[in-house]
């Protein structure tokens, strides 16, 4: 988890104007208006959407408590992911990022809500579209962007790219999508052994250019575990995700076995950078989701409506996030690329080096742990 975002209020000065016969500007009285955090709501309770249940008598609560510090932290996390992904989109179009690149903007409440509900020591495994999780697991923006640009300072030393990012207790983006047979085998073993495992489907409504309604006879993915309890959750609400994952984690930790979760969310970009994302859906549909269900706007509006923060605070935070992403971009575009000698390094961990066959002109290289 990131450190709490701290904001210091600034005094606002208003100087009276000079009318005919009035005092000069230097002599004019000054009125200083300062705002104390004493009149800010420190904590509030919000209604959240009820989850759909499968094989469960009771589900997560329909209310969620939020402190001011938590709200600012969640906002900063989601807004940082959003700005980072928009910058990745820009760098890809400039051909600075190459290869595969799957962006996460629109789905930020999933990563932020999950991280808010689990422990740093819990293990998290995901497939591609993993930039957001890489950030919530503690990797700085500069290391994520540097990985995307293939630089030595990247989280995987510039050799993994968008689909291969890792951190402690985070087995990050993987290019392999789980086939249905493998998925159900995992369900079966987890249920037999009552493993403390939460299976999460981030249902962003579309596959690679195909809507879920056209691809699946049943879109109730939270029921796909069959004999495993399931939850269908509003994945655009960070509080709803947090409460649902807390519920699922408590279920697993108590020895009751696994749980399947479907987070209903939405991706703003296409499936990957080669997909414009508007051939199988309309721009009007995307804009409607942005205007009505955006996870960042939803949290911001809640906090403003309950006097938990000010518009100026959010503006200051947005500015700081933009500066952080710009500084990270400078690093990601100026850091050196990894040397050729590193090609066969870091293949194994803790094992003795061995010769790598079939590498042609690099055949003299050896892998190093």
């Amino acid at each position: 988890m990131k450190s709490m975002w701290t904001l210091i209020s600034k005094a606002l000065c208003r100087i009276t104007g000079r009318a005919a016969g009035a005092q000069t500007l230097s002599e004019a009285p000054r009125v200083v208006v300062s705002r104390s955090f004493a009149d800010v709501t420190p904590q509030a309770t919000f209604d959240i959407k009820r989850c759909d249940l499968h094989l469960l008598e009771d589900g997560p609560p329909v209310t969620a408590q939020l402190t001011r510090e938590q709200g600012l932290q969640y906002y900063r996390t989601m807004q940082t992911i959003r700005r980072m992904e928009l910058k990745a989109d820009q760098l890809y179009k400039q051909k600075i990022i190459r290869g595969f690149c799957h962006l996460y903007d629109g789905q930020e409440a999933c990563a932020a809500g999950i991280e808010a509900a689990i422990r740093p020591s819990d293990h998290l495994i995901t497939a591609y579209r993993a930039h957001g999780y890489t950030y919530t697991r503690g990797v700085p923006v500069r290391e994520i962007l540097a990985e995307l640009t293939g630089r030595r300072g990247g989280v995987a030393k510039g050799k993994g790219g968008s689909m291969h990012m890792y951190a402690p207790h985070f087995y990050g983006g993987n290019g392999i999508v789980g086939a249905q047979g493998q998925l159900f085998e995992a369900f079966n073993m987890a249920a037999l052994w009552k493993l403390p495992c939460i299976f999460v489907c981030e249902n962003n409504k579309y596959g690679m250019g195909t809507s879920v309604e056209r691809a699946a006879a049943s879109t109730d993915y939270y029921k796909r575990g069959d004999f495993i309890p399931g939850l269908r959750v509003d994945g655009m609400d960070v509080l709803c995700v947090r409460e649902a994952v807390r519920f699922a984690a408590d279920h697993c930790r108590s020895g009751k076995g696994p749980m399947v979760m479907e987070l209903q969310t939405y991706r703003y970009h296409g499936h990957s950078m080669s997909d414009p994302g508007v051939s199988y859906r309309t721009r009007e549909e995307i804009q409607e989701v942005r205007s009505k269900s955006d996870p960042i706007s939803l949290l911001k509006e809640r906090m403003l409506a309950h006097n938990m923060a000010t518009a100026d605070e959010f503006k200051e935070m947005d500015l700081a996030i933009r500066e952080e992403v710009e500084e990270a971009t400078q690093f990601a575009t100026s850091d050196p690329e990894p040397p050729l000698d590193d090609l066969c390094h870091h293949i194994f961990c803790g094992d003795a080096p061995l010769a790598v066959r079939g590498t042609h002109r690099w055949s003299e290289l050896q892998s190093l742990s």
Side-chain angles (χ1 to χ4, degrees):
M1 301 292 288
K2 306 296 176 299
S3 59
M4 296 297 182
W5 182 253
T6 304
L7 292 168
I8 302 175
S9 62
K10 295 182 177 179
L12 303 177
C13 297
R14 183 171 58 214
I15 303 176
T16 60
R18 183 174 183 267
Q23 297 166 301
T24 62
L25 186 61
S26 61
E27 297 172 339
R30 296 172 182 260
V31 179
V32 179
V33 181
S34 63
R35 187 175 189 277
S36 170
F37 284 144
D39 58 349
V40 174
T41 305
Q43 181 172 304
T45 301
F46 299 95
D47 293 331
I48 56 176
K49 186 177 179 180
R50 185 182 301 275
C51 297
D52 295 321
L53 310 181
H54 173 61
L55 298 182
L56 289 167
E57 294 183 2
D58 299 308
V62 293
T63 61
Q65 288 188 342
L66 179 71
T67 67
R68 167 184 157 82
E69 289 75 17
Q70 288 173 336
L72 293 176
Q73 179 186 359
Y74 301 161
Y75 180 87
R76 187 183 194 282
T77 296
M78 292 193 292
Q79 188 71 290
T80 300
I81 295 172
R82 175 72 57 86
R83 291 298 170 191
M84 178 178 69
E85 295 297 69
L86 293 178
K87 179 58 68 173
D89 175 60
Q90 177 185 338
L91 293 174
Y92 198 98
K93 290 173 179 176
Q94 294 173 347
K95 297 185 178 181
I96 297 174
I97 295 175
R98 300 295 187 99
F100 293 104
C101 186
H102 303 82
L103 302 181
Y104 198 66
D105 51 319
Q107 302 181 213
E108 296 90 351
C110 297
I114 288 174
E115 196 65 57
I118 63 176
R119 304 167 183 168
S121 58
D122 289 332
H123 300 276
L124 196 153
I125 307 170
T126 187
Y128 54 74
R129 211 178 306 281
H131 308 165
Y133 287 107
T134 308
Y135 178 72
T136 62
R137 290 268 92 181
V139 178
V141 176
R142 57 189 274 136
E143 293 186 20
I144 298 173
L145 290 180
E147 187 60 40
L148 291 173
T149 58
R151 306 303 172 117
R152 190 167 56 188
V155 62
K157 304 188 185 301
K159 298 192 291 184
S162 177
M163 294 195 290
H164 304 286
M165 298 184 181
Y166 309 97
H169 304 295
F170 174 57
Y171 312 94
N174 298 282
I176 302 301
V177 179
Q180 287 297 309
Q182 296 167 339
L183 176 64
F184 288 112
E185 289 168 7
F187 284 170
N188 187 57
M189 288 188 292
L192 285 173
W193 297 340
K194 293 190 179 301
L195 300 180
C197 181
I198 304 172
F199 296 95
V200 179
C201 167
E202 291 191 52
N203 179 8
N204 61 22
K205 311 300 183 185
Y206 293 93
M208 192 185 297
T210 307
S211 66
V212 294
E213 289 81 9
R214 294 183 60 196
S218 172
T219 57
D220 293 334
Y221 295 105
Y222 71 110
K223 297 181 180 179
R224 291 289 180 95
D226 190 8
F227 39 81
I228 299 177
L231 295 171
R232 181 158 59 190
V233 184
D234 181 1
M236 301 298 276
D237 183 350
V238 66
L239 298 184
C240 197
V241 175
R242 186 193 69 181
E243 294 304 312
V245 175
R246 279 180 178 172
F247 176 87
D250 290 342
H251 175 95
C252 294
R253 296 189 205 279
S254 65
K256 296 179 182 178
M259 186 171 289
V260 174
M261 294 182 62
E262 176 188 346
L263 306 183
Q264 293 190 314
T265 183
Y266 197 86
R267 57 171 167 82
Y268 292 158
H269 272 86
H271 171 75
S272 65
M273 295 305 298
S274 62
D275 170 24
V278 292
S279 60
Y280 47 85
R281 59 181 182 178
T282 64
R283 287 185 169 86
E284 289 74 19
E285 176 186 312
I286 301 172
Q287 185 56 40
E288 183 178 11
V289 176
R290 284 183 178 273
S291 62
K292 295 182 178 180
S293 304
D294 184 78
I296 300 175
S297 298
L298 175 61
L299 177 62
K300 178 180 179 180
E301 290 165 4
R302 276 174 166 166
M303 295 186 69
L304 288 174
H306 285 74
N307 195 36
M308 300 182 76
T310 66
D312 286 340
E313 286 182 277
F314 286 117
K315 288 180 181 178
E316 289 184 25
M317 191 182 298
D318 291 343
L319 179 60
I321 290 170
R322 288 177 181 269
E323 291 176 352
E324 178 186 357
V325 172
E326 287 302 321
E327 291 175 1
T329 303
Q330 291 296 320
F331 173 75
T333 54
S334 60
D335 191 55
E337 295 182 355
L340 185 60
D341 292 345
D342 280 359
L343 179 66
C344 298
H345 289 191
H346 313 107
I347 297 177
F348 300 98
C349 179
D351 293 334
L354 74 160
V356 179
R357 299 176 58 189
T359 52
H360 303 292
R361 64 191 181 93
W362 301 299
S363 59
E364 71 275 7
L365 299 177
Q366 290 188 330
S367 70
L368 298 176
S369 297

